[in-house]
Amino acid sequence: MSRLSGRTALITGSTSNIGRAIAVAYAAAGAHVVVSGRDDERGAAVVAEIRAGGGRADYVHADLDGSAATARALADAATRALGGRIDILVNNAGIFPPATTATADERMFDRVYAVNVKAPFFLTQAVAPAMVEAGGGVIVNLGSWVARLSVPVGALYASTKGAVETLTRAWSAEFGPKGVRVNAISPGVVLPPERDPAAGAMMHGTPAGRAGTAEDIAAAAVFLASDEASFVHGTVVDVDGGRTGVAVLAGAPT
């Protein structure tokens, strides 16, 4: 319980998948977490799971539309729920429309950038100064392997994750000297093969030879939030089974 004992954390998009796993892992490591998202029923279920395991958690409804006002409202509500401060912010919420450049319209473009780029930007704007005033904090952003290893579908999504990874380095330069560590995680293919057979196929020939799990990403998020990562600044940590850093042998057996 000692790694994040006494810390408070806000995790966006934490009612399911990677965000949920991070919230559960943070609570298990001793943090008081705010679970946030659009689905109140799923949010309540995550909070109940954490509390059943002896952890501390609260739920705050948030539909991050990219506006500064919505980000500020979430920051304020989470700060109240956490007793007056946010020590750790995880910018996880994001959307992925399976569109090509030819099929993406302007409305889709604006929506994806609003959720994936504007929302974390304005939430960080709302939270980071308070961290500085309190003497320090941690921000963990979620990037993606497709920001650097491109696939035929999802150019719009990939560009937003590239923006998030760039913001990570810029925020580290801006807030790091003031006591706020900023890093990012670049998850690889994390959908289990039984839900999406293509996920397993995309990992053929990699060192891991399998799709990852949300818990794999959460483990890295715990490390980056902990004092063990005190010398880690402005870094994008690849948690992808070697997908981006190692030559993939197409069609190789797992």
Side-chain angles (χ1 to χ4, degrees):
M1 291 287 289
S2 62
R3 295 182 81 183
L4 301 180
S5 181
R7 313 284 176 85
T8 62
L10 165 61
I11 305 100
T12 67
S14 49
T15 62
S16 64
N17 206 12
I18 291 174
R20 173 199 160 278
I22 293 174
V24 170
Y26 276 10
H32 179 186
V33 304
V34 160
V35 176
S36 71
R38 295 176 294 175
D39 191 318
D40 296 347
E41 184 176 348
R42 291 195 306 190
V46 178
V47 168
E49 177 185 355
I50 290 171
R51 290 178 177 175
R56 299 181 65 195
D58 293 281
Y59 173 73
V60 174
H61 178 92
D63 187 357
L64 294 171
D65 59 5
S67 69
T70 300
R72 169 56 67 184
L74 173 58
D76 289 346
T79 298
R80 289 192 298 271
L82 294 170
R85 75 180 197 278
I86 298 171
D87 298 321
I88 305 161
L89 168 64
V90 180
N91 286 310
N92 168 73
I95 55 175
F96 174 79
T100 63
T101 300
T103 60
D105 58 24
E106 187 174 5
R107 181 178 180 183
M108 179 187 292
F109 185 101
D110 290 343
R111 172 65 174 159
V112 175
Y113 263 82
V115 176
N116 292 9
V117 181
K118 288 183 67 179
F121 182 92
F122 286 116
L123 190 54
T124 297
Q125 182 188 77
V127 171
M131 289 180 171
V132 171
E133 186 176 352
V138 174
I139 297 174
V140 179
N141 300 318
L142 271 292
S144 173
W145 66 280
V146 297
R148 278 165 292 147
L149 185 62
S150 298
V151 294
V153 176
L156 178 56
Y157 173 82
S159 70
T160 66
K161 290 304 183 178
V164 167
E165 294 187 4
T166 297
L167 283 170
T168 297
R169 291 183 285 271
W171 285 336
S172 181
E174 182 175 357
F175 298 116
K178 301 174 184 178
V180 179
R181 289 193 299 105
V182 186
N183 291 288
I185 299 169
S186 178
V189 181
V190 297
L191 291 174
E194 60 268 25
R195 284 178 52 192
D196 183 359
M202 292 177 74
M203 294 299 290
H204 285 173
T206 64
R210 64 169 177 87
T213 67
E215 288 72 25
D216 292 328
I217 311 306
V222 171
F223 165 71
L224 288 176
S226 73
D227 290 341
E228 296 164 28
S230 63
F231 201 54
V232 182
H233 289 261
T235 296
V236 178
V237 179
D238 293 324
V239 186
D240 63 4
R243 187 67 173 81
T244 57
V246 181
V248 174
L249 304 178
T254 55

